[in-house]
Amino acid sequence: MIGVAIIGTGDIADFHIEAYLRFPERCAIRAVVDLEQAKARQKADKFGLSCEALADYRELLTRNDIGLVSICLPPALHAPVSVDFLAAAKHVLCEKPMAPTLEECDRMLEAARRGKATLSVIAQNRFKPDIMRTKRFLESGALGRILFAQANSLWWRGEKYYDLWWRGTWEKEGGGCTFIHAVHHIDLLLWFMGDVEEVTATLYNRSHDNSEVEDLSISSIRFKSGAPASLVSSLVHHGEEQSFIIDGEAASIELPHKIAVSRQLDNGYPEADEEKRLKLEALYTSLPEPQYTDHCGQIEDVLSAIESGQTPLVDGQAGRSTVDFIMAAYQSAFTGKPVRLPLSPKDPFYSKEGIRANAKKFHQKTTSLTSLPSGGISVGGSL
Ligand SMILES: NC(=O)c1ccc[n+]([C@@H]2O[C@H](COP(=O)([O-])OP(=O)(O)OC[C@H]3O[C@@H](n4cnc5c(N)ncnc54)[C@H](O)[C@@H]3O)[C@@H](O)[C@H]2O)c1
């Protein structure tokens, strides 16, 4: 039985608690922790948990009955708190994004090595049926040579979203929509397409005045495979219609799910090849779906990894790769030049000091509230 603690009992903690409660024979939530102890107590009561509600996570570092912690804290706290637990040989499932700097990601990876502990970073969309199948479909080689990919990480947030104290600052949030929202799509893009060689990006803040960070970014990417890709990350799209399009020589596949196959007429114009499309659809639907989805899928994967001593599907290195891409995109936007990956410790966007010196503040944050009225949150957009 794996003893679990939830660190930070805000909005996203609910998704972790609900998931752990699905596996009562494999794990038990033994503590919930929040700086505001009353909030931790309320969260325990909401889910009928008969566990401790604490204000200071450090009380758990030496406890033998805690084996795994979910870090559900604001991004700037992911690294220091994860490092404390990993160094104490506790397994860590950290919310996305892994940490606001690569320097901190590297400290987390080092602490996991030292503590011989499992580190996983949330990328719950990998555990959606169509996304898992698309990955397996790409692995089958059915598309032939990949020619081009597009990821559209389109979200919408009103101005009040940035009134929360930790949002909208380079220091505490670590970045704007590219870092906080597109991190999901960047994880998937890298999972689908492999390592990135170079990125050129531009950033904008089009309609969020209470925020230093971007609400729109446009990236042009070249993968090591030679394939190019585009990524749009936005908080100004009404409807949040997110999508992927991957074009191969043999066919194109999209999310939300669609497969298309064209063949050429004598003049080079296209007509649909229905027979080939049906064959590829049959292959696609024959591919296995995940048994558990979203946060529940990832938490089941992490429990299995701990039980079996294997590496989880989304390990610390995968979490770091998304941060590496995002920091390279920021470096490109603020220096006006293409940036090759991976960033090195000498690059300005590797460390907090470098980011502080080089990231432009689009606006000054003037409103800062300790909490926002609760109204539910959306975590997946339309994917
Ligand atoms: N996976 C997803 O789809 C998804 C969606 C939303 C948020 N998130 C991520 O989850 C994390 C938390 O976001 P949220 O929306 O739940 O934020 P939140 O502000 O609602 O919750 C954070 C909680 O941490 C507590 N806290 C702050 N400092 C603390 C400390 N030192 N010790 C203990 N508790 C402390 C706060 O009191 C608060 O209750 C962020 O990294 C965010 O990016 C992920």
Side-chain angles (χ1 to χ4, degrees):
M1 180 68 70
I2 300 171
V4 173
I6 310 289
I7 318 298
T9 58
D11 289 327
I12 203 63
D14 291 30
F15 293 76
H16 290 247
I17 295 170
E18 276 165 10
Y20 287 118
L21 290 176
R22 298 270 302 274
F23 307 103
E25 22 2 269
R26 298 168 70 185
C27 62
I29 300 175
R30 302 218 163 104
V32 288
V33 183
D34 201 285
L35 217 45
E36 295 177 46
Q37 197 172 359
K39 204 169 164 184
R41 185 74 271 154
Q42 274 166 16
K43 195 68 87 183
D45 293 346
K46 176 177 172 184
F47 287 95
L49 303 174
S50 54
C51 70
E52 284 171 282
L54 305 171
D56 188 345
Y57 74 86
R58 286 170 299 188
E59 288 181 42
L60 301 174
L61 293 173
T62 51
R63 287 255 303 257
N64 291 331
D65 63 334
I66 302 292
L68 166 66
V69 295
S70 268
I71 307 289
C72 301
L73 298 167
L77 293 170
H78 290 183
V81 180
S82 295
V83 165
D84 281 350
F85 279 109
L86 290 164
K90 310 289 182 202
H91 306 296
V92 166
L93 172 58
C94 181
E95 260 301 338
K96 63 78 198 165
M98 182 166 172
T101 64
L102 287 166
E103 189 180 28
E104 291 165 294
C105 293
D106 286 342
R107 281 216 300 275
M108 290 166 75
L109 290 168
E110 174 54 25
R113 267 191 296 274
R114 259 189 294 126
K116 296 189 175 51
T118 297
L119 170 60
S120 179
V121 179
I122 284 286
Q124 79 268 18
N125 291 317
R126 288 197 194 188
F127 298 85
K128 287 190 186 298
D130 274 337
I131 289 174
M132 189 71 89
R133 277 184 163 165
T134 297
K135 166 68 177 167
R136 290 179 172 149
F137 186 82
L138 291 168
E139 281 172 346
S140 78
L143 287 192
R145 192 163 69 94
I146 303 297
L147 304 177
F148 180 45
Q150 297 172 62
N152 295 302
S153 182
L154 309 183
W155 308 73
W156 191 89
R157 293 290 181 271
E159 304 108 72
K160 288 180 187 161
Y161 177 79
Y162 278 111
D163 291 349
L164 190 63
W165 64 274
W166 58 265
R167 292 199 185 124
T169 64
W170 288 103
E171 186 83 27
K172 297 197 188 71
E173 190 166 19
C177 56
T178 322
F179 185 60
I180 294 291
H181 296 81
V183 65
H184 290 295
H185 299 85
I186 294 162
D187 173 72
L188 295 176
L189 195 61
L190 304 189
W191 196 40
F192 291 158
M193 301 285 292
D195 291 339
V196 172
E197 184 156 283
E198 188 177 274
V199 60
T200 307
T202 46
L203 304 186
Y204 307 85
N205 183 315
R206 300 290 296 150
S207 78
H208 292 87
D209 291 353
N210 190 36
S211 162
E212 298 171 1
V213 297
E214 85 285 2
D215 65 8
L216 178 70
S217 73
I218 303 170
S219 302
S220 172
I221 303 160
R222 192 174 71 247
F223 282 90
K224 289 232 155 75
S225 67
S230 68
L231 165 74
V232 178
S233 166
S234 164
L235 286 189
V236 301
H237 175 68
H238 296 259
E240 303 199 326
E241 285 116 357
Q242 303 163 2
S243 63
F244 280 87
I245 303 175
I246 301 173
D247 300 321
E249 261 172 350
S252 294
I253 188 164
E254 297 184 24
L255 283 159
H257 178 66
K258 182 179 162 191
I259 293 174
V261 185
S262 297
R263 67 170 166 240
Q264 62 174 335
L265 298 169
D266 288 344
N267 63 359
Y269 279 73
E271 73 174 355
D273 188 332
E274 192 55 10
E275 199 185 322
K276 275 202 187 138
R277 188 189 69 78
L278 287 172
K279 271 197 193 140
L280 291 180
E281 275 297 351
L283 166 65
Y284 180 86
T285 45
S286 74
L287 298 168
E289 290 185 325
Q291 192 182 357
Y292 301 98
T293 61
D294 302 284
H295 274 83
C296 188
Q298 184 159 357
I299 279 174
E300 198 283 328
D301 179 70
V302 168
L303 293 175
S304 295
I306 294 168
E307 288 158 355
S308 65
Q310 305 284 309
T311 306
L313 179 65
V314 193
D315 60 9
Q317 202 56 51
R320 186 196 190 280
S321 295
T322 60
V323 177
D324 189 30
F325 174 86
I326 295 162
M327 293 305 137
Y330 285 163
Q331 186 165 309
S332 167
F334 290 119
T335 59
K337 292 187 187 132
V339 171
R340 289 177 86 89
L341 277 74
L343 292 188
S344 86
K346 291 195 186 116
D347 276 299
F349 279 72
Y350 178 86
S351 67
K352 202 172 273 181
E353 296 68 36
I355 294 170
R356 199 179 290 146
N358 289 282
K360 168 186 165 188
K361 291 184 181 175
F362 286 96
H363 300 284
Q364 282 299 330
K365 185 170 162 90
T366 48
T367 306
S368 189
L369 306 178
T370 49
S371 64
L372 294 180
S374 62
I377 60 167
S378 66
V379 296
S382 59
L383 272 190

